[in-house]
């Protein structure tokens, strides 16, 4: 069973940066749609960004221009570079993957496997 593992979370001040990573053994990142979701306390899980098997990306409006999703195909790692962080970005961030080449939507139900998440806390 493929199990994504996230790393790179932490605590930063507003305006700072963090880079999240996601690796999944037995899964070829470059071939498939992968995504980052986040969930803040008391809120529903929401899609942050996704990237498909062709490298096309999509972002939630709240993070456009600040976050960048990418894959290192040689290392088989998914990244989320987060710049200009805001307190409202505070959440647990999850890596999600599919076995489809293209991302057909932002619903969490479309994803086949999830990591345990990594906490991101942004202070003002």
């Amino acid at each position: 069973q493929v199990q994504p593992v996230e790393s790179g979370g932490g605590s930063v001040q507003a305006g700072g940066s963090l880079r999240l990573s996601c690796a999944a053994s037995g899964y070829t990142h470059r071939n498939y749609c992968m995504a980052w979701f986040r969930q803040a306390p008391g809120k529903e899980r929401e899609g942050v960004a996704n990237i498909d098997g062709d490298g096309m990306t999509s972002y939630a409006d709240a993070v456009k221009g600040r976050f960048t999703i990418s894959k290192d195909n040689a290392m088989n790692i998914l990244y989320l570079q987060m710049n200009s962080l805001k307190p409202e970005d505070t959440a647990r961030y999850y890596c999600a993957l599919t076995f489809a080449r293209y991302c057909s939507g932002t619903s969490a139900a479309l994803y086949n496997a999830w990591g345990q998440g990594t906490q991101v806390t942004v202070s003002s």
Side-chain angles (χ1 to χ4, degrees), residues 1-6 22-27 29 95 97 99 113-117:
Q1 183 175 354
V2 176
Q3 177 63 57
V5 178
E6 305 94 338
C22 173
S25 60
Y27 180 83
H29 288 47
C95 173
L97 57 88
F99 293 101
W114 295 80
Q116 294 298 308

Side-chain angles (χ1 to χ4, degrees), residues 46-49 58-64:
E46 62 175 357
V48 174
S58 178
Y59 297 91
D61 288 343
V63 306
K64 279 181 182 176

Side-chain angles (χ1 to χ4, degrees), residues 24-106:
S25 60
Y27 180 83
T28 305
H29 288 47
R30 66 177 179 270
N31 292 343
Y32 302 112
C33 168
M34 300 183 73
W36 289 98
F37 284 74
R38 67 185 182 186
Q39 188 167 20
K43 295 188 176 181
E44 293 187 356
R45 190 170 296 191
E46 62 175 357
V48 174
N50 61 46
I51 181 168
D52 70 16
D54 290 344
M56 295 295 292
T57 59
S58 178
Y59 297 91
D61 288 343
V63 306
K64 279 181 182 176
R66 300 188 298 120
F67 291 11
T68 302
I69 188 171
S70 63
K71 295 177 184 177
D72 183 328
N73 291 331
M75 297 296 292
N76 226 22
I77 298 175
L78 176 72
Y79 295 108
L80 184 69
Q81 178 67 44
M82 304 185 295
N83 298 329
S84 302
L85 282 161
K86 304 175 181 180
E88 51 263 44
D89 295 318
T90 295
R92 192 163 186 84
Y93 284 72
Y94 297 88
C95 173
L97 57 88
T98 74
F99 293 101
R101 185 168 187 85
Y102 301 107
C103 303
S104 57
T106 58

